[in-house]
Amino acid sequence: MSVAAVPVRREAASRWPGLLLGLGLGGFIDGILLHQILQWHHMVSHVESFPVTTLRGLEVNTLADGFFHAGTWLLVLAGSTAAIVSWRKGQRAPSWRFHFGLLMAGWGIFNLVEGLIDHQLLGIHHVRDDLGGPWTWDVGFLIFGLLLTAGGFALHRLGGEKPATRPQR
């Protein structure tokens, strides 16, 4: 008896889980690597009232970093919830390229938004506040965000959704 493939009619995978997870995980990478491990900056380390060289300034910056991490945690929770909701609605799970492309794009979008708002518009911190906030690091951060976004969406397109098939008996 031969087994033929019959198309299964299910909705394509949702893009929201990957993008939300990418935004949240990109924020975690920023906070863990740049704020905590390398200690290049904190959330408000370029604000004159809160220098990280004073106990009070470090306390305020640590609190602001905590709120920042809580926000990124909520984005990861939202992405995880969106994935479960989409699967329970019968949407297909994404391919690896589809999903990781969106994770990269979400991380890139995080860098672009955070870099434009916090570094450029508000000026509350810069990538390298430990060096006095040279603009070249901020520009490099934005270029890295653009590359992540473009590369992520390119990878996502390569993992485009194809109709699922199941064997027919």
Side-chain angles (χ1 to χ4, degrees):
M1 176 190 280
S2 75
V3 177
V6 176
V8 175
R9 290 196 150 302
R10 291 180 73 186
E11 289 183 47
S14 174
R15 290 173 175 83
W16 284 109
L19 285 172
L20 288 168
L21 287 166
L23 285 165
L25 294 172
F28 275 136
I29 291 168
D30 180 281
I32 293 166
L33 183 64
L34 302 182
H35 296 211
Q36 295 173 322
I37 295 173
L38 297 174
Q39 298 180 20
W40 285 356
H41 69 260
H42 297 279
M43 279 309 297
V44 291
S45 56
H46 200 72
V47 176
E48 284 186 34
S49 304
F50 309 117
V52 295
T53 55
T54 67
L55 179 58
R56 179 69 181 134
L58 193 53
E59 288 172 341
V60 169
N61 275 280
T62 301
L63 178 63
D65 287 351
F67 284 126
F68 170 74
H69 280 109
T72 60
W73 184 86
L74 289 173
L75 286 168
V76 170
L77 178 64
S80 298
T81 302
I84 292 168
V85 167
S86 69
W87 299 336
R88 292 190 81 179
K89 285 182 178 178
Q91 292 175 319
R92 291 191 308 263
S95 69
W96 288 101
R97 287 181 181 173
F98 182 97
H99 184 66
F100 282 107
L102 291 171
L103 286 175
M104 285 175 54
W107 180 11
I109 292 167
F110 168 84
N111 280 12
L112 291 171
V113 170
E114 200 264 341
L116 289 171
I117 292 174
D118 292 343
H119 305 171
Q120 304 305 313
L121 295 176
L122 299 176
I124 57 174
H125 71 258
H126 298 280
V127 175
R128 292 298 304 265
D129 274 343
D130 64 327
L131 299 177
W135 66 270
T136 52
W137 283 89
D138 290 348
V139 170
F141 188 82
L142 292 172
I143 291 170
F144 182 60
L146 281 172
L147 292 173
L148 278 171
T149 303
F153 279 125
L155 182 61
H156 163 69
R157 280 191 297 279
L158 286 174
E161 292 295 305
K162 297 178 181 131
T165 59
R166 69 174 172 213
Q168 179 185 11
R169 295 182 188 246

